[in-house]
């Protein structure tokens, strides 16, 4: 049974039983507590928490998921993967345990035809009800096992919905492990379907056990997950997930590149499967807008990419591995997941660029590691320090496994305990910062939930009106819901109707005023979403006392809103132009829309040339001048995408979406505010283009009044500059170029004369060197020299003295600082003399220190009044050196 049929059977089964089919959300979730979507229920979390009322009480989905918690097991077991498709059915206060268990049993045994005798069940240790339901269905008690919280109590590993679970496992037979059920061997008895009885809310604590249960959910719900990979392996009698039709083409690609078949066991088998499995994760992450980075979800992608490259090198694949491996993923799964095909160019380019970069890292890391190994062996130690291994991994991205392997080859070990300690300290520092942010966010979320459960959603009227009669329905001060606030208080407030746009899609929130009927006045400083559809206004009470239930007039800052509309429409035009200029891969990755200025991030692999930037700016202004109409319309998501509307990475859209058309060249899903006609954008000026990460570029631009002000500033600067040059503005660049060329010529001549003068001075000093012991010595205070010139003079004087043993010590004052330089001849230095030792005591006298290794050293300090004394002390050190 191919995977396409497995998916179809699943969705047909549940849609025929009243479940609404919901598309997979992107891997980048709309949830600040998650880096990546890791479960089918992620997008339904607001429904389970009661923050949002769903339009349906039953749902089914096939959700893209990424988890790296078991990354070390990938390739070592038959079932672990970092990316998987989770097929699930959900109930939001509708059915519960009885129906969920019955659905699972029917689909597994009748829909997929699995043998009943090979199905084993686990339940939470205290869940008598679940066990009794399974037994009534026909599962004997001998094939039902009770397990603890770590195995049969589910959460997203962070605070949120949770509950006891029951899992269906399939016995793959003695060839896969020993008897005894899932409690004994999870390789043989593969977990297929996890049925979570969502009824509680968990707090902070360990990911999988011993966390506190804070309370019960308002409605008991169901969240299930059936892993497509694992089910496909059973139905296709595949040895592992890598040999199912989901990954087999990629597995074969890796074998072709390695020039051999994967063995049946051993470390090479692991490497073949790691490269194969990680290639799929890499392709899906890039397709959903994740790019390699030093932290966050970008670091997860980079780790997967580097791990795949390393295992490919272990297999002897020295050429590129990521581009062909991810291309096979796109070819195999692109029909099911169109975003793979749509982003094929981006996936290939990012994969190639990152592999090239990491190959250089491996080369650099190998050199550093070789040097560290030499130092370790020279010291007589048998273990490479953990600090060295950690620096290689943390600073240079050199994997610990490679460090261990290289050390083993020369008979050394690695202090892995110290490495683990340093890694744990780093993680704890990161977690400490994260916990503080999470605690603050959770406190605010609790207040939002309290108001959200009691209040209707705000009616937004800001598309049509900039003022509205409104009633204050909720108040929050310092994260706590309050009935009133006084003058001077910083508050967050909820209105029944609001003209204020809440920050979304890159457009910052509106500001303005709120004047109450009793005379109380507030300044609205920001508007954001607290929860889905729950609009929160940040404000300062300027005068009076604000109480919930009070009526007033809300007024948006009209001039600021107009600037935001210009910038937002300009962003859409810029997006269309960038894609037309650079290619479809250069889709928007982020934006910031401010009054009269914007920031636009997009995927691309090299810096834009001046010609490309000029072409983009001219094209945007050309569209603006043609004055295209801006048209807003609504449709369901499928209709909008069929019409070519662009959905942005990471944005969350409902079933009915708002589409913004600008002329016939831009069509995007967007909830922001826009001008009515393109010409209202005014002038568009590109300010800068830069890199903000691997394969990620950023441009900044001005619109409207900001662009006009910029033009005026540049005009005034050019007028002043041409006046100084005595030329017309159009001739200013040529006049300035000629002046600079003349200046450069004069500076070169001055440098030549200065060098000649220093040469004459060095010759004079050499002529007056006095004999001391076995050589000659110069000790002199000079004037008018820079630090560089002082060093040059000292070195030149030594070379001109001509004897094998020569010492020159010079001093000067420069910019209120005492400077000394010592130089010794090559023969003295080769005999062990260090110039810096001559200045150690002298440096302390002028209040500084001496530095430099080799035949020339320098010292400096602020005590210029002691420079003569310091020079004398250094001179005596020079005499002692020559007398030895």
């Amino acid at each position: 049974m191919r995977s396409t049929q497995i998916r179809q059977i699943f969705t047909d089964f549940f849609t025929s039983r009243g479940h609404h089919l919901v598309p997979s959300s992107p891997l980048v979730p709309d949830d600040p507590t998650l880096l990546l979507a890791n479960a089918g229920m992620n997008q339904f979390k607001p429904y389970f928490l009661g923050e949002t009322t769903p339009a349906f009480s039953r749902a089914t989905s096939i959700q893209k998921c990424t988890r790296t918690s078991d990354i070390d097991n990938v390739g070592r077991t038959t079932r672990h993967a970092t990316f998987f498709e989770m097929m699930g059915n959900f109930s939001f206060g509708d059915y519960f345990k009885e129906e969920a268990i019955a659905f699972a049993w029917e689909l597994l045994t009748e829909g997929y035809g699995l043998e009943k005798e090979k199905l084993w069940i686990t339940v939470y240790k205290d869940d008598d009800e679940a066990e009794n339901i399974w037994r009534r269905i026909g599962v004997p008690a001998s094939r039902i096992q009770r397990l603890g919280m770590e195995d049969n109590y589910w959460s997203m590993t962070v605070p949120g919905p949770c509950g006891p679970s029951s899992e269906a496992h399939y016995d793959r037979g003695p060839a896969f492990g020993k008897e005894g059920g899932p409690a004994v061997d999870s390789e043989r008895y593969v977990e297929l379907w996890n049925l979570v009885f969502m009824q509680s809310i968990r707090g902070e604590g360990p990911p999988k056990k011993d966390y506190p249960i804070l309370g019960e959910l308002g409605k008991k719900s169901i969240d299930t997950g059936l892993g497509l990979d694992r089910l496909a392996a059973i139905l296709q009698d595949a040895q592992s997930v890598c040999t199912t039709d989901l990954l087999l083409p990629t597995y074969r690609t890796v074998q072709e590149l390695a020039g051999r078949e994967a063995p049946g066991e051993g470390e090479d088998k692991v490497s073949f499967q790691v490269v194969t499995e990680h290639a799929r994760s890499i392709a899906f992450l890039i397709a959903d807008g994740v790019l390699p980075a030093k932290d966050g979800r970008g670091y997860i992608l980079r780790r997967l990419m580097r791990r795949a490259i390393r295992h490919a090198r272990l297999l002897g694949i020295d050429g590129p591995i990521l581009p062909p491996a991810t291309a096979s993923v796109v070819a195999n799964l692109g029909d099911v997941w169109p975003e793979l095909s749509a982003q094929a160019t981006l996936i290939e380019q990012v994969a190639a660029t990152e592999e090239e970069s990491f190959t250089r890292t491996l080369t650099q890391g190998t050199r550093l590691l070789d040097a560290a190994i030499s130092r370790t062996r020279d010291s007589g130690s048998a273990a490479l320090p953990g600090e060295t291994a950690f620096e290689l991994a943390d600073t240079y991205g050199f994997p610990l496994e490679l460090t261990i392997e290289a050390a083993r080859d020369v008979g050394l070990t690695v202090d892995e305990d110290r490495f683990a300690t340093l890694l744990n300290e780093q993680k704890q520092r990161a977690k400490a910062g994260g916990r503080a942010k999470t605690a603050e966010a959770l406190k605010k979320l609790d207040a939002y939930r309290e108001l959200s459960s009691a209040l209707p959603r705000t009616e937004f009227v800001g598309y049509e009106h900039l003022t509205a009669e409104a009633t204050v329905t909720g108040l929050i001060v310092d994260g706590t819901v309050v009935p009133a606030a006084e003058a001077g208080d910083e508050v967050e407030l909820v209105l029944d109707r609001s003209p204020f746009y809440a920050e979304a899609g890159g457009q910052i929130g509106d500001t303005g005023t709120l004047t109450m009927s009793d005379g109380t006045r507030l300044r609205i400083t920001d508007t954001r979403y607290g929860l889905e559809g729950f609009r929160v206004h940040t404000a300062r009470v300027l005068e009076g006392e604000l109480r919930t239930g009070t009526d007033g007039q809300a007024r948006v800052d009209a001039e600021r809103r107009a600037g935001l509309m210009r910038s937002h429409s300009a962003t859409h035009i810029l997006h269309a132009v960038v894609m037309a200029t650079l290619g479809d891969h250069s889709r928007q990755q982020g934006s910031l829309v401010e009054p009269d200025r914007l920031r636009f991030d997009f995927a691309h692999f090299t810096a834009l040339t001046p010609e490309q930037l000029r072409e983009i700016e001219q094209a945007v202004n050309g569209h603006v001048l043609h004055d295209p109409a801006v048209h807003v319309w609504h449709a369901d998501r499928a209709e909008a995408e069929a019409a070519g509307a662009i959905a942005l990475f990471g944005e969350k859209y409902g079933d009915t979406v708002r589409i913004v058309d600008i002329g016939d060249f831009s069509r995007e899903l967007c909830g922001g505010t826009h001008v009515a006609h393109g010409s209202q954008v005014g002038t568009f000026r590109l300010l800068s283009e830069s890199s903000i990460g691997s394969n990620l570029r950023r441009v900044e631009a001005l619109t409207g009044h900001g662009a006009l002000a910029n033009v005026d500033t540049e005009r005034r600067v050019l007028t002043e500059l041409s006046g100084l040059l005595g030329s017309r503005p159009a001739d200013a660049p040529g006049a300035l170029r000629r002046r600079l060329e003349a200046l450069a010529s004069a500076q070169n001549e001055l440098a030549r004369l200065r060098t000649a003068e220093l040469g004459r001075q060095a010759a004079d000093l050499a002529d007056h060197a006095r004999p001391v012991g076995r050589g000659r010595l110069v000790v002199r205070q000079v004037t008018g020299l820079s630090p560089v010139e002082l060093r040059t003079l000292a070195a030149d004087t030594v070379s001109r003295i001509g004897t094998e043993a020569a010492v020159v010590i010079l001093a000067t004052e420069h910019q209120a600082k005492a400077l000394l330089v010592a130089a010794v001849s090559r023969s003295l230095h080769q005999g062990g003399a260090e110039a810096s030792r001559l200045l150690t005591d002298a440096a302390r006298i002028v209040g500084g220190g001496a530095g430099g290794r080799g035949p020339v050293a320098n010292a400096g300090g602020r005590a210029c009044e002691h420079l003569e004394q310091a020079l004398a002390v250094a001179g005596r050190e020079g005499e002692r050196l020559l007398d030895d």
Side-chain angles (χ1 to χ4, degrees), residues 40-55:
M41 62 78 63
N42 288 166
Q43 64 177 319
F44 303 122
K45 183 178 170 183
Y47 302 159
F48 289 121
L49 288 170
E51 298 171 353
T52 302
T53 302

Side-chain angles (χ1 to χ4, degrees), residues 254-494:
V254 177
Q255 292 178 97
E256 289 170 6
L257 291 168
R260 57 193 169 102
E261 291 189 0
E265 57 184 16
E267 289 302 311
D268 275 5
K269 176 189 176 183
V270 172
S271 292
F272 274 109
Q273 296 193 143
V274 166
V275 177
T276 300
E277 195 283 328
H278 285 7
R280 178 175 59 171
S281 297
I282 291 163
F284 273 93
L285 284 167
I286 297 172
D288 272 3
V290 180
L291 294 173
K294 293 181 179 180
D295 53 20
R297 56 182 66 96
Y299 176 74
I300 293 174
L301 172 60
R302 175 163 284 168
R303 183 186 180 196
L304 289 168
M305 299 175 90
R306 291 185 167 186
R307 200 165 187 264
I309 295 167
R310 186 180 73 82
H311 278 276
R313 301 297 182 261
L314 293 176
L315 293 174
I317 303 174
D318 294 326
I321 179 63
L322 294 185
T326 53
S328 72
V329 173
V330 174
N332 185 39
L333 298 174
D335 289 342
V336 179
W337 299 101
E339 58 269 35
L340 289 174
S341 299
Q343 299 299 325
T345 302
L346 178 65
I347 293 168
E348 179 184 5
Q349 293 280 6
V350 173
T353 302
E354 187 68 13
E355 183 161 358
E356 290 170 6
S357 173
F358 187 52
T359 298
R360 291 192 296 270
T361 293
L362 286 175
T363 302
Q364 180 185 24
T366 299
R367 287 198 302 267
L368 295 169
L369 177 58
D370 289 344
I373 288 174
S374 296
R375 290 195 302 271
T376 302
R377 297 178 73 179
D378 291 345
S379 70
S381 174
L384 195 72
E387 286 82 359
T388 299
F390 182 77
E391 181 184 12
L392 283 168
D394 186 55
T395 304
Y396 300 100
F398 198 81
L400 174 64
E401 296 91 337
L402 281 186
T403 301
I404 294 172
E405 183 181 330
R408 187 189 303 125
D409 289 345
V410 295
L412 297 176
T413 61
V414 175
D415 188 349
E416 294 183 59
D417 290 341
R418 178 58 179 161
F419 178 92
T421 298
L422 293 169
L423 182 62
N424 184 60
E425 289 174 355
Q426 184 188 63
K427 288 180 177 178
Q428 293 304 317
R429 287 192 296 269
K431 283 183 178 178
R435 277 196 297 268
K437 292 180 181 177
T438 301
E440 181 181 346
L442 286 175
K443 181 181 178 183
K444 187 171 287 190
L445 278 175
D446 287 340
Y448 291 165
R449 289 190 184 112
E450 181 180 341
L451 290 180
S452 177
S453 62
L455 300 176
R457 292 294 176 265
T458 303
E459 178 190 358
F460 177 59
V461 297
Y463 290 133
E464 302 83 14
H465 307 287
L466 295 184
T467 61
E469 298 301 319
T471 301
V472 176
T473 55
L475 277 176
I476 299 172
V477 176
D478 294 331
T480 302
V481 177
V482 296
E486 299 178 348
D489 285 348
E490 299 286 345
V491 303
E492 291 181 292
L493 58 92
V494 180

Side-chain angles (χ1 to χ4, degrees), residues 82-100:
T82 57
F83 173 90
F84 52 92
E85 295 176 43
M86 186 63 81
M87 304 186 295
N89 60 288
F90 308 88
S91 164
F92 312 116
D94 187 343
Y95 60 84
F96 201 49
K97 292 182 183 180
E98 188 91 38
E99 296 88 339

